[in-house]
Amino acid sequence: MHTFPRSVYSMSNIEDSHICVVMVGLPARGKSLIAQKIVRYLKWLSVNAKSFNVGSYRRADTPHPTADFFDTGNLEGERLRRAAAEAAVNDMLRWFEHEGGHVGILDATNSTRSRRAWIEERCKSKGYDVMFVESKCDDEDLIMNNILEVKTTSPDYVGQDPEVAARDFRDRIRNYEKVYETIDEPHLTYVKLINVSSQVIINQVSNYLQTRIIYFAMNLHITPRSIWLSRHGESEFNVLGKLGGDASLSPRGLAYAEALPGLVKDSVGDKDITLWTSTMKRTIQTAKHLTYPKKQWKALDELDAGVCDGLTYKEIEKKYPEDFRARDDDKYNYRYQGGESYRDVVIRLEPIIMEMERGSDIMVVTHQAILRCIYAYFMNVPQDQSPWMEIPLHTVIKLTPRAYGTQEERFKANIPAVSTFRAKYTSANMGGEAAIFDAERAKLPISGAQANGVITINGDVEAVPQKVGAVSVVGSLGSNGGTLVVE
Amino acid sequence: MARAVVDWFGFHADYEYEYSSNDAPVSRLRRRSNVNIDAIHDFPVDSEMAPAQLYSTESGRLFHSGKIAIVTVGLPARGKTHVSVALSRYLRWLGVKTRAFHLGDYRRAHMGHGNDVPHDYFFVDASPSSVKLRQTILQKCRFDLYHFLDHEMGQVAIYDAVNPTAEGRKQLSKEFLKHEIQTIFIESYVDDPKIIEQNVRSVKISSPDYQGWNPNDAVQDYIRRMGAKIPHFETMDEHELNYIKMINAGERIIVNNCRFGYLPNRIVFYLMNLHIKSRQTYFARAGASTGEDSYKADGLLCDEGESYSQRLCNALLEHRRKEREEFIKQGGSDEELKPLTVWTSTRRRTVQTAAHLQERGFKVKQRPQMSQMNPGNSEMTEEEFKAHYPADWDKHQLDPYHHRFPRGESYHDLAVRMEPIILELEREKNDLLIIAHESVLRVLYGYLMACSTSDIPSLEFPRNKIVEILPESYNNRAKRIPIPHTDTNGAYVP
């Protein structure tokens, strides 16, 4: 059984905290992407959410169907698809009832009135709220882009010739178009996102959590883009092993700042990217040589260590032994005296997350704790792990959201730095062996930035990590809570 | 334009009016820290953080959202002023420097008391003199609006006017863009005559013009007069403009082209929870519990607390009954009172305090976010605390709103954590009684009455009174309902 920690924006009412979010729309409209993102966002806010993808139920019987399978005239196909929908709905209802589920997402086309009426009836009979989320799009470029994406990442087309797959997928869409009815049932609770929210229609919302989900979904778009994350270069405080402060970069940190434009050059290419930093010296100095348009965000400032600001971990252990222990017991919720907890940071990052979702290609230069929270959001890392993740210095992490998970690449600059990673219940992190270890790793040969770009896909729909190109794949961080792999 | 605050039960009314100039008494009401008056039209001190503000910046602006003008669209009695005031309440709560500019205020100020505008003032083909008058009034309002955004670190200006034509709206948007201001139109569109009638009844016909009228006749007369006064109105359908259209008090919302920043979507988020119907909110303390008021113990009601809860229930129901009688006597309709819903926290005392109301058939909901402020290590008497933690005590005195005792929460933490409650409070359509700890009542009252962070920690909610917040479109009004035979601690007084 799961245990549910205190939520940030927790359910405001225990009685009616079950919402079934039903996706609506033709294939290649970004439904799975939106469903994934809603799950990730709600989990990040400590709301128990899960997506039920009808396609993956159907694949159990029909792993690689052709477009004919989706023809309305195909009775056997119709029967199997209906059975898959029923199995998904049954599982979702069971999950609400027995596993403390709060927001279940039914990810399928649900493109006819009769299908929607059936789902509504099933959920209402158990007393659960239903909210439909339709993604409606007639922008050909965007659809084409999605088709290309799907043919390369969808399990339906594994191992097939991409050209054949694309053609088949377009035929499948045509079969759906024959029966597609856009949502306009006046009594239903729904949000219709038209052409990536250039227009949004919201109908009959009935509680706070629904409005929160809609608010989030309105910030989403399905245009491909990437996010580059970097910590600031090594700072004078890092070298001394001190927390917080507003120190300048160390000589090695300055070297990283100089190397940064070259490190990201290939992966950025000619994209129009925006650079965000915090308001602290070390991130601004790190971004100094990058020529992209810049924004400084106060919300990206490092976690405030309160009375411990400017101390080393050893000093904290000596001066505040109880706090030192308490922090390691529950690092996510621990709040420094006069300072912040990870939970507090997550709340203050709300505008950042919304703006990252709304925006396109963005590079963020910020701090360790902040990056842990942002990374945890995109990679679905559970709260008990996210504050312990190692986010190394002098490394750029590139995240690319995909329909079935987020793709990650890492680019390490060949510049040694101290490690600021500290294992649980230890105060030894800086200088000495750790620093040498990290410097050793940094000496690994790299020919061009791409060489050490490890690609990971965090696939939580299918709960099976997928292979991408020839690069090996590291475990999933999905709800099963796999081990955390760095590099 | 005196907005007299009716002071029924011992409120002090030591506020003063301050007019910007002789001919424009445009809601420049400043108060001297009188928390009994809704401060939504006050000008807050610039350096002060708002109650739920997460961080502050030197420019005074937040979220890289730039300068925004929110322009209302809609015929009279569609709740435009209500939306303007409610939205500025919420944005200010978040720390966004927001001010509402009600064109009607400027019009009334310009015309002087008792003088109406010419009959063709709102006509598309108005006479030259009327057009000139319109321009004069508009200019004054715009001047203040630009001044706020350009020279007073303002970020959101809400321009509350009818704005009935598509052409006018396009011009307005263009003009604002020249000043580097993004425009979002918010239209309140109603095609359900019941909602219009209800609105007219609750906000428009209380004026002296309709004294002695049969309320139904008054409503019909008002609607007829408005129809003649503003015969030309085009609902929003301009695809190139950024707009939010709320249809029938939020039943359906259409959001067009609002993807240009963090704030527009945040505003939509708020508007999804707002409705334009009015209802009452009551605040009451939970009864006293057994033993001390310990946070960790989560004690049950003591006998005294139990008898307090009975008296609270009776006092509230009696008050509501009398209000209705009074309303009917003054010519109001004899429709039933709005249903009353009760919210408590999940703390046992608050739940038990609501028990009598639940027995009487009222719906009671428990809301976990309404748990009192966690006092952390400060749960001891003032003297004990000063002896143990002198440094913390001094810090607390300096900023009681933001200071947090070791392992505890501050009022600011409480305000941020209660965000869902604030929005649910806006959503609720029934009358609402909130039974909670004093710390929670302080924050919620602070929201509804736009109190400053320096006022909130010292707001008082003695147990011998229920606080009632009456929504009016221009500001909220607080009054206190005495609970008979009860002292400030909730004990019985024969």
Side-chain angles (χ1 to χ4, degrees), chain A residues 7 16 66 82 108 141 150 156 253 266 275 314 338 346 359 370 423 440 447 466 482:
Chain A
S7 307
D16 44 47
T66 61
R82 170 84 188 209
D141 288 345
V150 168
D156 279 354
D266 288 348
L275 180 73
K314 282 219 172 79
V346 162
I370 308 302
E440 282 301 316
S447 57
Q466 296 159 51

Side-chain angles (χ1 to χ4, degrees), chain A residues 91-340:
Chain A
D91 273 3
M92 182 176 67
L93 296 179
R94 258 198 300 276
W95 175 76
F96 279 138
E97 213 168 328
H98 301 295
E99 291 179 61
H102 283 144
V103 179
I105 307 202
L106 192 66
D107 179 14
T109 51
N110 301 312
S111 52
T112 63
R113 282 162 178 261
S114 63
R115 175 58 62 88
R116 294 191 288 263
W118 171 74
I119 295 166
E120 192 204 6
E121 196 242 281
R122 285 297 313 273
C123 295
K124 287 266 160 85
S125 72
K126 297 273 185 187
Y128 305 136
D129 285 346
V130 188
M131 177 169 80
F132 295 88
V133 175
E134 177 171 354
S135 173
K136 192 167 185 282
C137 176
D138 47 27
D139 180 332
E140 281 302 325
D141 288 345
L142 212 56
I143 297 167
M144 209 42 226
N145 231 317
N146 261 306
I147 290 175
L148 290 174
E149 160 97 26
V150 168
K151 86 177 180 205
T152 50
T153 61
S154 165
D156 279 354
Y157 296 109
V158 171
Q160 290 192 23
D161 175 357
E163 283 307 308
V164 177
R167 213 166 28 240
D168 183 82
F169 193 59
R170 253 173 290 174
D171 288 342
R172 185 197 293 195
I173 295 173
R174 235 162 259 137
N175 276 326
Y176 272 108
E177 277 168 351
K178 285 185 215 156
V179 293
Y180 174 57
E181 295 164 308
T182 184
I183 192 162
D184 57 4
E185 294 93 311
H187 70 288
L188 294 182
T189 297
Y190 69 81
V191 56
K192 193 191 293 210
L193 308 163
I194 302 165
N195 287 332
V196 199
S197 301
S198 64
Q199 192 170 70
V200 181
I201 297 171
I202 301 158
N203 197 59
Q204 304 280 10
V205 278
S206 63
N207 65 43
Y208 166 80
L209 191 59
Q210 291 174 353
T211 66
R212 181 119 212 143
I213 295 168
I214 294 173
Y215 164 51
F216 173 70
M218 282 173 53
N219 284 295
L220 297 178
H221 62 80
I222 51 179
T223 319
R225 57 81 171 269
S226 297
I227 287 157
W228 289 258
L229 306 173
S230 173
R231 290 179 65 186
H232 53 80
E234 182 188 75
S235 75
E236 286 163 355
F237 262 35
N238 290 150
V239 175
L240 298 170
K242 289 182 177 182
L243 301 189
D246 191 9
S248 292
L249 294 183
S250 73
R252 289 189 297 196
L254 290 169
Y256 176 66
E258 276 181 38
L260 200 47
L263 189 62
V264 297
K265 191 169 164 268
D266 288 348
S267 72
V268 169
D270 56 358
K271 294 193 180 78
D272 286 331
I273 75 171
T274 310
L275 180 73
W276 295 357
T277 66
S278 74
T279 64
M280 295 175 141
K281 275 189 224 152
R282 51 195 189 275
T283 65
I284 296 166
Q285 288 173 1
T286 305
K288 194 179 154 195
H289 302 288
L290 292 163
T291 51
Y292 314 119
K294 289 172 192 165
K295 280 183 184 176
Q296 282 178 27
W297 287 88
K298 181 91 176 160
L300 285 173
D301 283 2
E302 179 60 311
L303 184 145
D304 181 356
V307 291
C308 296
D309 191 77
L311 301 184
T312 65
Y313 281 120
K314 282 219 172 79
E315 286 165 343
I316 297 170
E317 196 178 11
K318 217 190 271 170
K319 257 183 123 168
Y320 305 99
E322 275 174 42
D323 286 80
F324 187 76
R325 188 89 200 161
R327 179 154 203 259
D328 281 8
D329 287 343
D330 185 359
K331 201 173 175 187
Y332 188 82
N333 288 305
Y334 174 84
R335 180 187 275 145
Y336 279 110
Q337 282 188 39
E340 289 179 300

Side-chain angles (χ1 to χ4, degrees), chain B residues 284-301:
Chain B
R285 294 274 304 276
S289 65
T290 47
E292 328 88 281
D293 230 6
S294 163
Y295 176 78
K296 289 205 174 94
D298 192 12
L300 297 167
L301 285 184

Side-chain angles (χ1 to χ4, degrees), chain B residues 6-219:
Chain B
V6 183
D7 187 302
W8 292 35
F9 298 103
F11 268 97
H12 308 287
D14 58 342
Y15 58 89
E16 60 184 42
Y17 290 110
E18 190 175 294
Y19 297 120
S20 62
S21 64
N22 291 336
D23 60 346
V26 182
S27 69
R28 301 269 161 125
L29 168 67
R30 287 179 202 234
R31 59 177 189 173
R32 282 196 175 150
S33 201
N34 182 343
V35 295
N36 299 322
I37 295 163
D38 184 359
I40 192 61
H41 295 284
D42 281 12
F43 301 164
V45 183
D46 279 339
S47 58
E48 197 169 75
M49 289 269 274
Q53 187 165 349
L54 297 174
Y55 58 89
S56 61
T57 61
E58 270 172 34
S59 71
R61 300 204 180 100
L62 293 174
F63 313 124
H64 292 283
S65 285
K67 294 183 282 186
I68 294 175
I70 291 171
V71 179
T72 63
V73 174
L75 289 166
R78 265 63 174 181
K80 291 188 304 297
T81 299
H82 171 69
V83 170
S84 312
V85 173
L87 191 56
S88 60
R89 189 182 303 284
Y90 179 66
L91 291 175
R92 278 195 191 191
W93 176 253
L94 297 179
V96 179
K97 301 220 172 353
T98 307
R99 193 177 300 165
F101 298 84
H102 308 284
L103 190 58
D105 287 351
Y106 285 84
R107 195 168 58 236
R108 282 184 286 271
H110 185 88
M111 300 307 294
H113 182 69
N115 304 322
D116 204 357
V117 291
H119 78 284
D120 65 345
Y121 181 85
F122 291 100
F123 288 12
V124 177
D125 55 353
S127 62
S129 67
S130 287
V131 171
K132 190 157 172 273
L133 178 64
R134 228 154 56 185
Q135 292 303 332
T136 311
I137 293 168
L138 270 176
Q139 255 170 21
K140 194 149 188 51
C141 182
R142 300 280 169 79
F143 177 83
D144 283 357
L145 189 148
Y146 291 134
H147 193 269
F148 169 66
L149 290 177
D150 292 333
H151 304 293
E152 298 171 61
M153 305 212 296
Q155 183 159 21
V156 175
I158 301 179
Y159 175 56
D160 173 20
V162 178
N163 298 306
T165 68
E167 191 47 42
R169 295 189 290 256
K170 276 179 213 166
Q171 292 303 331
L172 194 59
S173 177
K174 247 189 232 162
E175 188 194 315
F176 283 147
L177 202 58
K178 270 191 222 146
H179 288 78
E180 293 174 337
I181 301 167
Q182 292 272 13
T183 308
I184 304 171
F185 294 91
I186 297 181
E187 175 176 357
S188 177
Y189 178 82
V190 182
D191 60 10
D192 178 348
K194 265 195 241 137
I195 298 175
I196 300 174
E197 281 174 27
Q198 223 174 35
N199 232 342
V200 171
R201 189 165 290 140
S202 68
V203 296
K204 301 291 185 189
I205 62 166
S206 48
S207 77
D209 292 359
Y210 288 109
Q211 204 142 38
W213 280 59
N214 167 311
N216 289 332
D217 294 347
V219 168

